[in-house]
Amino acid sequence: MDALGFLETYLWLLGPMMLRYLILAWAVHGLFWERPRPFSFAKQLAAQRPKREHVWREAKTALAASLIYAFPAAILVDAFEAGGTGLYWRWPEGPLEWLWIPGAILMLMVLHDAYFYWTHRLMHHPRLYEATHRTHHISKQPTAYASFAFSPWEALIASWLIPAIAFVVPMHVAAFGLFIMIATVSAVMNHAGWEIWPRSFLDGPVGRWLITARHHNLHHTRFKRNYGLYFRFWDKAMGTDDMSGDPFVKA
């Protein structure tokens, strides 16, 4: 891998990565906060309308974090072009390979969720918090723009896992791309300050195991609880799943 070729790959990824974040965050934030009338199906979680300077700080921080996120992604892309990863383009052969497309997405979500829970909880340790996670928690009431507003150290911790898995686990490029889309949308929606799912679903047999804005918003407002990313399994297993103060329940 020559340095000039790697730099080209890095810049080729960085632009779309930043645009993906900005467009999605802008769209979600605009849909919920810039409309004259809020959606009837959504519940507002944020106590107050976000200020412009608040949003601008989150956006700048997230764009800076993209400089780090693009680095392992560029390593993965260059290795993929050289045939050195588990990713493949070929048409799936047989029903098992077709089933492995959603299976690979679920596998990535489970592994990412476990890694996120434990690193996230570790970054809340007093000795690590200031250097790693405090930047994200400046947003006591986050917006969609806070979804990737990480310090350099947190971005370094968070950015390498998924590319590393793609190096060793065979999966179709479509599965990998769909997972990235799910992860991005999930992060943006969980920081939006609005819950789009009805309480009947959230309290049902499926919803009670999923992390949505309702669950993650309490992490920002009440702090040392609700550390998970996609699923509430680790929070429930480790006793950190705490819905007290839930805005869906009247005091």
Side-chain angles (χ1 to χ4, degrees), residues 88-149:
Y88 56 86
W89 268 115
R90 62 177 172 77
W91 196 257
E93 298 176 358
L96 289 179
E97 285 202 357
W98 280 105
L99 286 173
W100 180 234
I101 291 179
I105 295 172
L106 181 60
M107 178 269 300
L108 286 168
M109 292 180 71
V110 169
L111 292 177
H112 194 202
D113 184 69
Y115 179 78
F116 182 89
Y117 176 87
W118 288 107
T119 55
H120 186 191
R121 189 170 177 181
L122 186 62
M123 285 188 289
H124 273 265
H125 190 283
R127 292 186 179 181
L128 299 175
Y129 177 75
E130 193 71 23
T132 59
H133 200 47
R134 178 183 176 277
T135 297
H136 187 66
H137 271 285
I138 292 174
S139 300
K140 295 295 185 289
Q141 183 57 72
T143 75
Y145 289 93
S147 50
F148 296 99

Side-chain angles (χ1 to χ4, degrees), residues 85-241:
T85 73
L87 298 174
Y88 56 86
W89 268 115
R90 62 177 172 77
W91 196 257
E93 298 176 358
L96 289 179
E97 285 202 357
W98 280 105
L99 286 173
W100 180 234
I101 291 179
I105 295 172
L106 181 60
M107 178 269 300
L108 286 168
M109 292 180 71
V110 169
L111 292 177
H112 194 202
D113 184 69
Y115 179 78
F116 182 89
Y117 176 87
W118 288 107
T119 55
H120 186 191
R121 189 170 177 181
L122 186 62
M123 285 188 289
H124 273 265
H125 190 283
R127 292 186 179 181
L128 299 175
Y129 177 75
E130 193 71 23
T132 59
H133 200 47
R134 178 183 176 277
T135 297
H136 187 66
H137 271 285
I138 292 174
S139 300
K140 295 295 185 289
Q141 183 57 72
T143 75
Y145 289 93
S147 50
F148 296 99
F150 301 141
S151 71
W153 281 114
E154 182 166 5
L156 281 170
I157 291 168
S159 62
W160 70 271
L161 177 71
I162 300 306
I165 294 172
F167 264 93
V168 297
V169 178
M171 71 184 83
H172 199 281
V173 171
F176 188 77
L178 284 170
F179 166 76
I180 296 298
M181 185 181 302
I182 291 169
T184 304
V185 171
S186 174
V188 170
M189 293 303 300
N190 287 354
H191 289 84
W194 290 78
E195 179 57 76
I196 64 170
W197 297 102
R199 185 177 175 185
S200 57
F201 170 76
L202 294 173
D203 292 341
V206 175
R208 72 179 62 164
W209 289 98
L210 300 179
I211 290 174
T212 65
R214 173 196 188 188
H215 188 269
H216 190 68
N217 198 74
L218 286 170
H219 175 72
H220 278 267
T221 57
R222 302 295 177 105
F223 204 55
K224 290 189 176 182
R225 60 165 85 176
N226 301 359
Y227 295 106
L229 183 60
Y230 306 114
F231 311 111
R232 290 168 65 176
F233 168 79
W234 285 108
D235 276 311
K236 288 178 181 290
M238 302 309 299
T240 55
D241 191 81

